[in-house]
C-alpha cells in the first residue's frame, strides 16, 4: 500500500480514485475517477477495470457492523463513510491491518480526519482467480 492523496475535495472529490491507487500501488492518473465519470454505473466499470488487471472486488455493506471486525492480519480495504468535513458527502479511506493485528488507515484527504461515524461500505480488492464468478453489487 503506497499512500496517494486526492487532488479534489468536496462535491466531485476523488478520494475513491486515490484509495484505489493507494491499494494497487499506482499513480493517481493511472486510475479512472470511477465515481465521477460513471455515476450510477461506477461499480460495474470499476470491477471491469480491475478484471483487466487481474483483480476483482468484494463489496460489504458495513452498516450496523463494526468494520474493524472484518480485518485480519495483512488485509487491506477501502472503507466508506460520512465525510468529517461535510455530512452530506461520503468519504473513502484505506484501512489495513499489520501482521500483528494493529489496524491503521490512510486518509487520502490532505487535511485528514478519516470518516465520521460508522462505516457504510467496505471494498476488498483481491487477486482474480480464474473460474470465479463476477462480483455483484
Amino acid at each position: 500500500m503506497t499512500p496517494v492523496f486526492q487532488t479534489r475535495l468536496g462535491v466531485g472529490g476523488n478520494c475513491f480514485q486515490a484509495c484505489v491507487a493507494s491499494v494497487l500501488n499506482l499513480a493517481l492518473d493511472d486510475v479512472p475517477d470511477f465515481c465521477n465519470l460513471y455515476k450510477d454505473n461506477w461499480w460495474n466499470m470499476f470491477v471491469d477495470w480491475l478484471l483487466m488487471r487481474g483483480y476483482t472486488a468484494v463489496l460489504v455493506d458495513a452498516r450496523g457492523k463494526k468494520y474493524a471486525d472484518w480485518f485480519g492480519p495483512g488485509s487491506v480495504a477501502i472503507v466508506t463513510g460520512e465525510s468529517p468535513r461535510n455530512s452530506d458527502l461520503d468519504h473513502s479511506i484505506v484501512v489495513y491491518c499489520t501482521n500483528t493485528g494493529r489496524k491503521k488507515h490512510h486518509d487520502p484527504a490532505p487535511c485528514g480526519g478519516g470518516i465520521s461515524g460508522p462505516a457504510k461500505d467496505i471494498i476488498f480488492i483481491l487477486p482474480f482467480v480464474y473460474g470465479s464468478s463476477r462480483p455483484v453489487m
Side-chain angles (χ1 to χ4, degrees):
M1 202 282 302
T2 304
V4 174
F5 291 92
Q6 65 190 96
T7 54
R8 295 186 316 275
L9 300 172
V11 175
N14 61 336
C15 59
F16 184 76
Q17 177 188 18
C19 286
V20 173
S22 296
V23 170
L24 297 178
N25 298 306
L26 297 172
L28 184 67
D29 291 339
D30 292 336
V31 177
D33 185 4
F34 297 100
C35 298
N36 290 307
L37 289 173
Y38 304 110
K39 305 288 184 201
D40 294 334
N41 196 32
W42 73 269
W43 176 257
N44 290 327
M45 299 303 288
F46 172 57
V47 171
D48 287 347
W49 182 86
L50 285 174
L51 288 171
M52 290 187 295
R53 285 153 185 79
Y55 295 94
T56 191
V58 175
L59 175 67
V60 176
D61 182 350
R63 288 172 277 217
K65 302 171 189 80
K66 288 174 42 181
Y67 76 83
D69 293 342
W70 288 85
F71 293 87
S75 60
V76 178
I78 298 170
V79 176
T80 301
E82 184 180 295
S83 170
R85 291 163 292 283
N86 183 339
S87 62
D88 292 332
L89 298 176
D90 284 343
H91 182 57
S92 296
I93 61 173
V94 178
V95 175
Y96 56 100
C97 186
T98 66
N99 288 333
T100 60
R102 184 168 178 218
K103 285 144 184 89
K104 298 182 175 187
H105 79 275
H106 161 63
D107 187 340
C111 52
I115 59 173
S116 179
K120 295 179 181 178
D121 298 308
I122 302 171
I123 296 174
F124 293 94
I125 297 175
L126 307 166
F128 178 71
V129 178
Y130 179 75
S132 63
S133 63
R134 187 176 188 284
V136 295
M137 184 169 157

